[in-house]
Amino acid sequence: TAQKELVEQIRRLEADNQALRDDLGFFERLIPSGSGVASATIRSVQADMLTPTQVRWQVLVIQAAKNPSTFKGSLELSVSGTLGGKPFSMTPQGSPRNLSLLQYVRSTGVFDIPTGVVLKSLTVKLVQNGAVKSIQTFNF
């Protein structure tokens, strides 16, 4: 009984330790290699279908440098897929979205797509003064 509780406590601690290692690995990937020049980049794009006509998205943008200056730009979203077997693309309502960050920012939103659209991808561009600084695509 006491031994079983101890074994269970050890299992929980090992699981917690693994979760912390996973988190550490995630944050280590955010640290840039090479020069410490600040450059805002899209680190992650996630999306999922809330309903057959509604998409929820999330983007993580970071500037991984010591004492970076404020990045001001915008996120431009576009989706592509098929509608009735034919190619379909659109810019969701609310795009482009203004963005300002020092170290990181998470931007989220929900948009509607027409009935019958089968989404293939969501592409997000990070734009500053008309220049694309980073681009990433999420495939459904």
Side-chain angles (χ1 to χ4, degrees):
T1 56
Q3 188 175 4
K4 285 182 183 178
E5 288 177 20
L6 186 58
V7 169
E8 184 58 33
Q9 185 178 11
I10 290 170
R11 285 189 183 134
R12 281 193 308 269
L13 290 171
E14 286 173 342
D16 290 348
N17 191 19
Q18 185 60 49
L20 290 171
R21 283 186 182 147
D22 293 345
D23 288 348
L24 178 61
F26 169 77
F27 286 110
E28 284 176 337
R29 286 191 299 275
L30 296 180
I31 298 170
S33 57
S35 69
V37 175
S39 177
T41 58
I42 298 170
R43 279 299 205 191
S44 173
V45 175
Q46 298 292 320
D48 59 282
M49 302 297 298
L50 295 176
T51 70
T53 61
Q54 201 169 53
V55 179
R56 176 178 47 204
W57 60 272
Q58 177 176 286
V59 175
L60 175 64
V61 179
I62 70 160
Q63 264 194 130
K66 287 186 177 183
N67 304 317
S69 58
T70 300
F71 175 89
K72 292 186 185 218
S74 63
L75 288 177
E76 296 181 2
L77 282 68
S78 62
V79 293
S80 65
T82 58
L83 178 57
K86 296 181 180 176
F88 171 86
S89 64
M90 69 175 259
T91 299
Q93 184 176 358
S95 178
R97 176 181 283 202
N98 290 335
L99 195 69
S100 178
L101 70 127
L102 267 177
Q103 295 289 170
Y104 71 93
V105 68
R106 185 176 67 168
S107 189
T108 62
V110 175
F111 62 85
D112 296 320
I113 57 172
T115 301
V117 169
V118 177
L119 286 184
K120 291 188 177 177
S121 65
L122 165 66
T123 299
V124 181
K125 294 178 185 177
L126 181 63
V127 179
Q128 185 181 42
N129 300 325
V132 176
K133 297 295 185 180
S134 182
I135 186 168
Q136 198 168 113
T137 299
F138 175 86
N139 294 311
F140 287 89

